[in-house]
Amino acid sequence: MTRFAPWASFPEQSRGRRHDETKGLERGPRDAFQRDRDRIIHSISFRRLRHKTQVFMAPDGDHFRVRLTHSLEVAQIGRTIARTLGLNEDLTEALCLAHDIGHPPFGHAGEDALKAALTDQGGFDHNGHTLRTLTTIERPYPRWDGLNLTWETLEGLAKHNGPVRHPGWALREADADFPLDLESHASLEAQVAALADDIAYDNHDIDDGLRAGLLTLDQMLAVPLVARGWEVARAKFPDVAPKRLASELIRSQIGVMVNDLVAETRRRIAASGVGEVADVRAAGCALVGFSEAMRVEERDLKRFMYANLYHHPRQLAAADAAHGIVKGLFAAYRADPALLPEEWRERLPEGEPERSRHIADFIAGMTDRYAVRSYQQVVGPIDLPEGF
C-alpha cells in the first residue's frame, strides 16, 4: 500500500466533482484520482495529441516528439518525483497527461493565431482552453458535459504554474461553474507536474534538435549545465563515439535536475512547517522548485534553446505558415459557418462572443494534419516551407 506524506493529496479527502456520480457511474476499485487519469487517457482530446506539434510542425519522421509523447514523458518524470516525495502519483500523472490538452494545432504558432482572431472576443490561451476542453467540450457522458474531473485535478491544471490573479475568459467560466480558489497555490502534485514539464522539454527538445540537425553538440557545450553533463558522460564512456553519447548526456541531465528538485523541495517543505495539503495552498509560495544554482542554469538552457532551436530560421518560417493556416481557417469559418462539420454547425451560437469562441473551439481541437487538409479544402492550396 502506498504511504503518502502528510502534505500529499488524499483521494478520500477530495473536494469532489461538479456533478454527483453516486448513481451508477462509480465502477470498480479505482479511487477518484485514478479515475481522473483514466478519463483523460480515454478522451478524444488526449488521443489527438499524437498529431499535434511539440517542436516540429506536423513532423514526417517517426522519431520526433509530438504533444502525446511529450505528455507521456512528463508523466514518467512526474511520477518518479511524486513517488520520491511521498505525493499522490495518480493525481500527478493525471495532471501531467492533461496539461497540454488545450494546445491548438501547431503549438504556440497556432495559439498566437487564435489569440489574434479572438481579440474582440476575449482572446485565447491554451491553459484556459485545457479547462474548457475537459469541462465543456468533451462529452462522453449522457447527463453532463465534460469529463467531470475532481476539484483537485481541475485546480492543478488551472494553477500548476502558480496562482492565477487575472484569468482569461475560459478559465473564469470554469471557475464560476466550479470555484477553484485561483488566487492560492495548488497542491504539491500540481507543482511537481509543472516542473516535470520543464525538465522533459528542456532535455528532450535537445534530443529532437540534434536529430533534426538544427543543433550541434558543439553548440550545446556552450551551455554550462550541458558542458558539465558532457564531461561526466565522457568520463564514464571514454571509448564511445560522441554521437552515441548524446542520449546518455540527456538521461544524465534529467537525473541531475530531478535530484536537485527533490533535494530543494524537501528543504523547502521542512523550512515551511507544512503539515497537510491545506498548508501547501496557504504557504504563499511554491514549495516545489530547483535550487538557486540549478534555477539559473535551467534558465540559461532555456535561453539557449529559444535562440538556437525555437527561433531557428527554419522554425520561424514554419511558424509563419502555421499562423497563416489557423488565421485563414478562422476567417473562412467565420465568413461561412456552413463550412463547419454538421455537429459543429448544429451547436453554433447566434451571437457574439460565443459564436467566434465556438469556431475557435473547433479549430483548437484540430491536429496539425487535419488543419492543413481543412485549409486546403475551405481556403485553397498552400505552399508549405521546409520544416513541415
Side-chain angles (χ1 to χ4, degrees):
M1 182 177 178
T2 302
R3 295 186 64 181
F4 293 137
W7 40 80
S9 296
F10 292 82
E12 62 272 17
Q13 296 175 4
S14 170
R15 298 192 193 184
R17 305 180 188 277
R18 170 66 178 82
H19 303 283
D20 178 40
E21 293 191 4
T22 57
K23 297 179 181 179
L25 277 182
E26 291 291 351
R27 306 179 181 99
R30 296 168 298 165
D31 67 38
F33 300 151
Q34 291 168 344
R35 293 179 192 281
D36 282 1
R37 175 203 58 207
D38 296 348
R39 291 177 186 193
I40 290 161
I41 289 173
H42 288 289
S43 69
I44 292 173
S45 52
F46 182 73
R47 293 197 293 275
R48 287 191 186 122
L49 295 179
R50 66 177 173 167
H51 292 305
K52 288 197 175 188
T53 292
Q54 175 59 22
V55 175
F56 299 104
M57 310 285 182
D60 291 328
D62 293 333
H63 297 167
F64 293 109
R65 287 167 176 83
V66 292
R67 288 282 169 190
L68 179 62
T69 56
H70 165 70
S71 298
L72 295 173
E73 290 170 338
V74 174
Q76 178 266 326
I77 294 170
R79 285 196 70 120
T80 297
I81 297 170
R83 183 183 307 120
T84 305
L85 293 172
L87 304 179
N88 191 294
E89 291 182 52
D90 298 311
L91 176 58
T92 304
E93 184 179 23
L95 294 168
C96 291
L97 292 172
H99 79 283
D100 270 354
I101 274 178
H103 271 284
F106 312 119
H108 293 288
E111 180 172 3
D112 289 343
L114 284 180
K115 186 181 298 183
L118 292 178
T119 297
D120 297 330
Q121 289 80 31
F124 179 94
D125 77 272
H126 73 268
N127 197 49
H129 195 69
T130 293
L131 272 292
R132 182 169 171 82
T133 299
L134 296 174
T135 60
T136 302
I137 297 174
E138 284 279 346
R139 296 184 172 188
Y141 296 104
R143 295 203 299 266
W144 54 71
D145 294 340
L147 300 185
N148 202 31
L149 302 176
T150 62
W151 185 91
E152 289 75 14
T153 296
L154 295 176
E155 179 226 19
L157 292 170
K159 303 188 297 187
H160 61 278
N161 288 322
V164 183
R165 294 182 173 85
H166 305 287
W169 66 269
L171 186 50
R172 283 201 307 273
E173 287 191 350
D175 180 63
D177 188 57
F178 194 24
L180 298 173
D181 297 347
L182 293 180
E183 294 195 3
S184 70
H185 282 269
S187 66
L188 291 176
E189 288 83 1
Q191 295 179 39
V192 165
L195 272 295
D197 182 30
D198 285 351
I199 293 171
Y201 77 72
D202 281 345
N203 291 284
H204 294 142
D205 290 357
I206 293 174
D207 188 29
D208 280 354
L210 291 170
R211 189 181 300 279
L214 301 190
L215 298 176
T216 67
L217 186 57
D218 286 343
Q219 278 181 298
M220 293 302 312
L221 294 181
V223 181
L225 179 63
V226 177
R228 192 169 66 251
W230 183 248
E231 289 177 5
V232 173
R234 291 295 287 159
K236 283 184 181 179
F237 305 100
D239 300 325
V240 175
K243 187 175 181 180
R244 185 121 187 229
L245 281 183
S247 293
E248 175 64 23
L249 165 68
I250 291 163
R251 280 193 299 273
S252 175
Q253 193 163 280
I254 290 173
V256 167
M257 296 176 78
V258 167
N259 288 338
D260 179 273
L261 183 144
V262 167
E264 174 63 15
T265 299
R266 283 175 170 160
R267 186 195 68 77
R268 293 185 189 183
I269 289 172
S272 70
V274 298
E276 60 181 358
V277 68
D279 298 332
V280 172
R281 295 190 172 97
C285 62
L287 298 178
V288 177
F290 296 121
S291 67
E292 179 61 19
M294 179 58 71
R295 187 191 69 80
V296 171
E297 290 196 313
E298 194 263 348
R299 182 192 62 198
D300 290 343
L301 174 58
K302 274 190 170 68
R303 185 180 295 119
F304 172 90
M305 294 295 283
Y306 272 94
N308 295 279
L309 179 62
Y310 308 135
H311 292 166
H312 188 283
R314 199 180 91 180
Q315 292 292 87
L316 293 177
D320 285 344
H323 191 283
I325 291 170
V326 173
K327 178 181 178 180
L329 284 170
F330 185 88
Y333 293 129
R334 189 67 187 83
D336 184 6
L339 296 171
L340 290 165
E342 182 178 358
E343 64 174 308
W344 285 87
R345 288 200 310 271
E346 289 175 348
R347 293 186 284 113
L348 184 69
E350 289 292 331
E352 292 290 357
E354 293 78 12
R355 191 177 184 88
S356 291
R357 292 174 178 177
H358 181 78
I359 292 170
D361 287 343
F362 173 58
I363 296 172
M366 292 180 173
T367 63
D368 295 10
R369 299 176 183 186
Y370 185 69
V372 171
R373 290 199 304 271
S374 297
Y375 185 95
Q376 292 168 334
Q377 292 169 0
V378 305
V379 179
I382 183 170
D383 183 22
L384 298 176
E386 182 184 7
F388 257 85

